[in-house]
Amino acid sequence: IRIDNLLFTLPEELCETMSACYKADLNNDNIPDYVFVNIKVWNGSYAGQSDIGVFVSNTQKKYSFNAFETRHLEAEVIDGKVMLIKYAYSDDNITFIRQVYTFNQEGQIRLYKAEALAI
């Protein structure tokens, strides 16, 4: 898929025609990074379950690819950095786990913090 004159190859979980694309600077290097979201479950108890692909710029002026699955995705500025927040059920199917991720200068994803949320 071509965005901003850049060509991205998405894995087959991220359908090019069904993915939304968002742009943000996730590693504070003043180069746009790209988040692709493909909602794969639209109804039932797993509504909102999505595949996520994140292309983050690195020091070689290329993009590192990170992928994960989530129930819900948010972005938030924490300590002056844009961070992605992923929500998923824990193994007990009662507790939500809120995981906050940051990205380093090499474009690699890092867990910033995680916390349990009872629902």
Side-chain angles (χ1 to χ4, degrees):
I1 189 165
R2 186 173 296 278
I3 297 175
D4 293 341
N5 288 326
L6 298 169
L7 185 62
F8 296 98
T9 302
L10 301 178
E12 63 184 60
E13 303 87 51
L14 294 166
C15 174
E16 293 176 3
T17 59
M18 297 295 289
S19 293
C21 179
Y22 302 91
K23 185 168 43 171
D25 183 7
L26 297 171
N27 61 350
N28 288 339
D29 65 356
N30 295 317
I31 298 172
D33 304 308
Y34 299 87
V35 179
F36 293 88
V37 178
N38 184 33
I39 298 174
K40 62 185 185 176
V41 181
W42 289 92
N43 59 17
S45 62
Y46 287 96
Q49 194 75 12
S50 302
D51 289 319
I52 309 297
V54 184
F55 290 87
V56 181
S57 59
N58 60 35
T59 56
Q60 290 80 36
K61 304 296 184 210
K62 296 182 180 182
Y63 283 88
S64 297
F65 180 70
N66 301 270
F68 54 89
E69 184 180 67
T70 186
R71 175 58 64 96
H72 179 72
L73 183 70
E74 295 177 343
E76 186 176 320
V77 176
I78 300 172
D79 296 332
K81 296 180 181 180
V82 177
M83 298 197 190
L84 293 183
I85 302 169
K86 163 187 167 179
Y87 293 86
Y89 276 117
S90 67
D91 290 340
D92 65 10
N93 283 329
I94 297 171
T95 308
F96 249 162
I97 304 297
R98 180 181 189 262
Q99 298 167 314
V100 180
Y101 290 96
T102 186
F103 296 85
N104 66 19
Q105 293 302 308
E106 292 305 316
Q108 298 166 330
I109 193 168
R110 298 283 184 247
L111 181 63
Y112 180 76
K113 69 177 180 178
E115 58 192 355
L117 304 171
I119 55 172

